[in-house]
Amino acid sequence: MCLQTRTRCSLRSSWPSTQPAEGGPAPPQALRGAEVFLPESPQLGLSPDRRRVVAGDGRQNASAPEGFILEGFILVGFSDRPQLELALFVVALAFYLLTLLGNVAIVLLSALDSRLHTPMYFFLANLSFLDVCFTTGSVPQMLHNLRGPDKTISYVGCAVQLFFVLALGGVECVLLAVMAYDRYAAVCRPLHYTLIMHPRLCGQLASAAWLSGFGNSLIMAPQTLLLPRCGHRRVDHFLCEMPALIGMACVDTTTLEALAFALAIFIILAPLGLILTSYSHIARAVLRIRSAAGRRKALNTCSAHLAVVSLFYGTIIYMYLQPANAYSQDQGKFLTLFYTIVTPSVNPLIYTLRNKDVREAVKKVLGKGRAPVQ
């Protein structure tokens, strides 16, 4: 049974045998070291420079296709709908530019304006920096694949993309829980807020969020990439997403899915439980406030964070807490598109539209920029 790639099987069947026929002379060695070119195939996504294989003896023949296998994957995406790909390219590019503009602005404002040197904006700057890294690690490759017929991604590129998608997604889950605790301290313990959320604790909480996300990815990314795929290179997605890569495996993935679910309890469900607990305490505290203005202020403080949590967790739970055999590729593609390009771009708008401190910081920074001209 051939357990290697289909390309390797076809190559071996087409190469002349180097074994001498019974009773006949040894075959010529003309093919030894020669270059064999695979036919160009849009379906396989092979460019001319990826179709060359060096022929040789059995040992060389085995090593050449191995290098060919590690050339990478084919991100199918929406290649069967070219008009949709063109529309998605424009949408993804627009949202990517908005993400960069909004999140970089928040990071700079948090650093430049002393009024924003508070725990809330410290965590918000971390979230904005995370969103910039997350989109930059996935959207440029997506735009490249949406723009033209080349749908390939190198093995290393796919590995790096998978690692950072898993890592930064995990960081955001934990960071949103940390931000919920910060809002709990601000609403429920206002007199002790500065003592509770001191700079050292803020740094420790942010570090815990980043370390937990990257630790989860260090476990899951190699396990996912090392799954046998029996020559399958076509990823029915436009990103190297863990559910899509697990679905390509030609072996039983029950153990890996159980491991992913167990880690998801700590990375996704545990932070979500902390968020819900924090907001249950906040809700009780708000109901005890007699002043309508006080209630409105408390709700404004938490509404932005609640909106971001709802957008992010709604898609993540659907994507990662269901079995791979129940995974709908078309639904998964659109949900991935949503939390990859839409959620990071609207986070700055959600946090800043009704935020007086940020608007004042923007005016202050722009005013400083105009001062030399006047």
Side-chain angles (χ1 to χ4, degrees):
M1 180 181 295
C2 180
L3 295 181
Q4 307 300 326
T5 66
R6 294 172 184 149
T7 303
R8 178 187 291 189
C9 296
S10 62
L11 281 173
R12 287 180 174 174
S13 63
S14 60
W15 286 342
S17 172
T18 57
Q19 299 298 325
E22 186 176 353
Q29 302 298 315
L31 285 178
R32 186 174 302 276
E35 293 181 348
V36 178
F37 287 84
L38 300 176
E40 188 169 2
S41 172
Q43 288 76 21
L44 288 177
L46 301 178
S47 56
D49 60 329
R50 295 177 185 233
R51 292 180 286 122
R52 187 180 64 173
V53 180
V54 178
D57 57 20
R59 183 179 304 173
Q60 291 169 323
N61 288 345
S63 62
E66 284 295 339
F68 175 77
I69 294 171
L70 295 181
E71 283 293 332
F73 297 94
I74 303 165
L75 299 175
V76 177
F78 297 100
S79 56
D80 57 335
R81 286 166 275 185
Q83 296 300 323
L84 179 60
E85 279 195 321
L86 179 60
L88 288 178
F89 174 82
V90 176
V91 172
L93 179 60
F95 275 104
Y96 179 53
L97 295 177
L98 286 175
T99 298
L100 293 181
L101 179 63
N103 287 287
V104 169
I106 287 181
V107 172
L108 292 178
L109 289 173
S110 300
L112 295 175
D113 196 308
S114 59
R115 289 175 297 181
L116 302 184
H117 293 173
T118 63
M120 174 181 173
Y121 293 104
F122 169 74
F123 294 127
L124 181 56
N126 271 266
L127 181 63
S128 295
F129 176 72
L130 183 153
D131 284 338
V132 170
C133 295
F134 184 83
T135 53
T136 302
S138 55
V139 175
Q141 177 69 44
M142 182 198 309
L143 292 174
H144 172 75
N145 290 343
L146 290 173
R147 184 176 56 89
D150 185 13
K151 310 297 181 186
T152 57
I153 181 172
S154 68
Y155 185 89
V156 174
C158 184
V160 170
Q161 189 179 82
L162 174 66
F163 177 80
F164 281 103
V165 166
L166 284 175
L168 296 175
V171 173
E172 186 158 356
C173 290
V174 181
L175 188 59
L176 289 175
V178 170
M179 296 174 75
Y181 177 73
D182 172 67
R183 293 300 84 207
Y184 158 78
V187 175
C188 300
R189 307 287 297 278
L191 299 180
H192 302 89
Y193 177 69
T194 55
L195 295 176
I196 296 173
M197 301 303 295
H198 53 83
R200 183 180 178 184
L201 178 62
C202 292
Q204 291 172 344
L205 291 174
S207 299
W210 286 91
L211 290 174
S212 60
F214 277 84
N216 172 66
S217 186
L218 281 173
I219 297 173
M220 289 307 304
Q223 296 288 333
T224 303
L225 288 168
L226 291 175
L227 284 173
R229 294 183 176 84
C230 301
H232 297 274
R233 297 177 55 224
R234 294 170 62 88
V235 183
D236 193 9
H237 217 300
F238 48 80
L239 291 177
C240 287
E241 271 268 313
M242 187 177 72
L245 291 174
I246 291 178
M248 295 170 58
C250 59
V251 295
D252 183 20
T253 58
T254 304
T255 302
L256 182 60
E257 290 180 48
L259 175 62
F261 186 83
L263 290 174
I265 292 176
F266 295 98
I267 297 296
I268 300 177
L269 296 183
L272 181 60
L274 292 175
I275 292 171
L276 296 176
T277 302
S278 297
Y279 276 103
S280 65
H281 289 287
I282 290 173
R284 286 199 294 267
V286 170
L287 292 176
R288 289 197 296 265
I289 299 175
R290 298 181 180 180
S291 167
R295 288 185 181 181
R296 191 162 48 249
K297 181 179 179 181
L299 290 174
N300 287 341
T301 300
C302 303
S303 59
H305 182 258
L306 270 176
V308 171
V309 167
S310 301
L311 286 173
F312 181 77
Y313 266 98
T315 54
I316 289 295
I317 289 176
Y318 182 87
M319 289 283 297
Y320 288 96
L321 294 184
Q322 61 174 330
N325 55 9
Y327 184 74
S328 171
Q329 288 295 343
D330 280 342
Q331 287 181 340
K333 291 175 189 178
F334 283 106
L335 286 173
T336 302
L337 195 68
F338 183 81
Y339 81 76
T340 302
I341 65 171
V342 177
T343 303
S345 65
V346 300
N347 282 354
L349 298 177
I350 292 173
Y351 277 107
T352 60
L353 279 179
R354 301 177 63 184
N355 193 307
K356 182 179 177 181
D357 292 336
V358 174
R359 291 199 301 268
E360 292 297 326
V362 171
K363 293 178 182 177
K364 180 180 177 181
V365 171
L366 293 179
K368 284 184 176 181
R370 289 194 299 265
V373 179
Q374 294 175 352

